[in-house]
Amino acid sequence: MPSLDDLKKRIASVKSTQKITKAMKMVAAAKLRRAQENAEKGRPYSEKMNNIILNLSNGIADKENAPQLLRGTGEDKTHLCIVLTSDRGLCGGFNTNIIKKAKAYFKQISSKGKNLKIITVGSKGYDQLKRFYKHKIVQKISFKDSKTINYLDAEKVGQMIINKFEKKEFDVCVIFYNQFKNVITQIPQEQQIIPLKDSEEESSTEDNYEFEPDEDEILNNLLPKNISTQIFKAMLENSASEQGSRMSAMDNATRNAGDMVDKLTIKYNRSRQAAITKELIEIISGAESL
């Protein structure tokens, strides 16, 4: 049984931890508001760019001569997976949910006998994948030094993907990230960016545009930008999801610390009362013996 001094030290330790988790919750809440605004502002732009590209592609008469970023290599042998996670921990199941989504895709690809290549963006993703997929990871990227999410970082990743595609290192490229819904809910996403995949939502919107110059020339300029834009959107969604998940996790940790302090305090008071009672019995027994 721990002594009174040990219980006292443990209570002080838990209270110190509680102060830290409470402070982290407040910091995450402050960052969440801005991150959520950025994510919500980025969605219409990225979705509209996808729609425009799909409309342009529908207007191309000769599909075989369409830009390669749009139609792909024509094969489906090698898949490049971009797994976007955070560089910092203490954010609940944020990183784990993305990794679960990615691993399910990895198993699906492997079962079909296709080649798998992985690029991790964020150190936590690499830490979780390196045990079983280290030989599949072709590159690991970390933006730990960047204070805020910016387009230049997304463009670096996008350019890296394009360079690998031009060298014919893969046929299909898929990104994994968390879409922010609210503080409690973040939805893991799987999005194919090369070749550009027509989703049900996008195919339902048919807009009529008149283009100048022709579709091919516009697509050659838009497609590389679209890849960087989709990466940037994923990074913004991840940023909001990370702060929301951290806020929720730190709130739970603060509550748990409070419950632990209450239990330890009751235990301390009972032990102290037992020690006092024992001393009183010893005093009374000593007085009676005299």
Side-chain angles (χ1 to χ4, degrees):
M1 186 177 179
S3 64
L4 289 173
D5 191 46
D6 291 337
L7 286 170
K8 200 171 184 180
K9 286 179 180 177
R10 195 174 175 192
I11 289 169
S13 175
V14 175
K15 282 183 177 179
S16 298
T17 304
Q18 187 181 31
K19 287 178 182 178
I20 294 168
T21 55
K22 191 175 181 180
M24 288 183 71
K25 174 194 167 186
M26 293 172 70
V27 171
K31 289 182 178 179
L32 173 62
R33 184 176 298 176
R34 188 180 183 91
Q36 184 177 353
E37 286 177 3
N38 291 337
E40 289 172 351
K41 287 176 182 176
R43 287 172 192 167
Y45 181 80
S46 62
E47 288 170 6
K48 195 65 178 176
M49 181 172 278
N50 253 354
N51 286 336
I52 290 171
I53 291 172
L54 289 168
N55 272 278
L56 280 164
S57 64
N58 291 332
I60 297 174
D62 188 3
K63 299 288 184 181
E64 291 183 1
N65 291 323
Q68 203 169 22
L69 281 173
L70 180 67
R71 60 184 171 84
T73 60
E75 296 183 351
D76 189 22
K77 293 179 180 178
T78 305
H79 287 237
L80 178 66
C81 298
I82 316 297
V83 184
L84 294 100
T85 56
S86 68
D87 284 304
R88 296 172 178 84
L90 298 175
C91 48
F94 167 76
N95 293 307
T96 305
N97 291 336
I98 298 172
I99 298 300
K100 280 182 181 177
K101 183 79 172 177
K103 282 183 175 179
Y105 185 84
F106 298 165
K107 287 179 181 177
Q108 182 184 347
I109 292 303
S110 301
S111 65
K112 293 178 180 178
K114 298 174 184 177
N115 297 325
L116 173 66
K117 292 182 179 180
I118 303 168
I119 294 177
T120 59
V121 181
S123 56
K124 294 300 175 183
Y126 176 76
D127 291 342
Q128 291 196 40
L129 289 172
K130 66 181 180 181
R131 184 176 178 186
F132 296 106
Y133 295 96
K134 191 173 184 178
H135 60 292
K136 300 288 186 181
I137 298 173
V138 295
Q139 199 149 359
K140 56 177 181 176
I141 304 167
S142 175
F143 294 119
K144 193 177 286 186
D145 297 332
S146 298
K147 293 182 180 179
T148 56
I149 303 298
N150 59 80
Y151 184 77
L152 290 175
D153 290 339
E155 199 170 30
K156 289 176 186 175
V157 179
Q159 192 57 51
M160 185 188 304
I161 294 169
I162 292 169
N163 291 339
K164 288 183 179 297
F165 182 72
E166 288 174 350
K167 292 176 184 177
K168 297 183 178 179
E169 294 183 16
F170 67 90
D171 303 310
V172 178
C173 182
V174 182
I175 59 174
F176 297 90
Y177 63 96
N178 260 336
Q179 183 184 26
F180 178 81
K181 188 175 181 182
N182 53 49
V183 176
I184 300 170
T185 309
Q186 298 87 36
I187 307 166
Q189 297 293 314
E190 167 195 317
Q191 182 183 351
Q192 183 175 307
I193 56 175
I194 298 177
L196 191 62
K197 194 173 182 181
D198 189 359
S199 68
E200 291 179 3
E201 291 181 3
E202 288 163 345
S203 61
S204 63
T205 60
E206 294 183 1
D207 300 322
N208 295 318
Y209 298 99
E210 290 184 4
F211 299 104
E212 187 178 338
D214 60 9
E215 286 89 347
D216 289 345
E217 192 172 339
I218 298 173
L219 282 171
N220 283 327
N221 289 323
L222 273 185
L223 285 167
K225 289 180 182 177
N226 182 56
I227 290 170
S228 298
T229 299
Q230 299 307 320
I231 295 289
F232 185 49
K233 178 202 73 174
M235 291 170 73
L236 289 174
E237 293 283 354
N238 260 8
S239 178
S241 297
E242 179 187 350
Q243 298 305 331
S245 186
R246 181 173 287 115
M247 180 181 166
S248 180
M250 291 302 101
D251 181 54
N252 290 334
T254 304
R255 291 173 185 272
N256 291 338
D259 292 340
M260 189 176 287
V261 167
D262 292 341
K263 289 178 182 178
L264 288 171
T265 302
I266 291 170
K267 193 173 183 179
Y268 173 81
N269 290 337
R270 285 177 178 172
S271 298
R272 185 167 170 269
Q273 187 64 46
I276 293 169
T277 304
K278 186 180 178 182
E279 288 177 5
L280 285 172
I281 291 171
E282 288 175 354
I283 291 168
I284 293 167
S285 299
E288 286 180 354
S289 65
L290 292 174

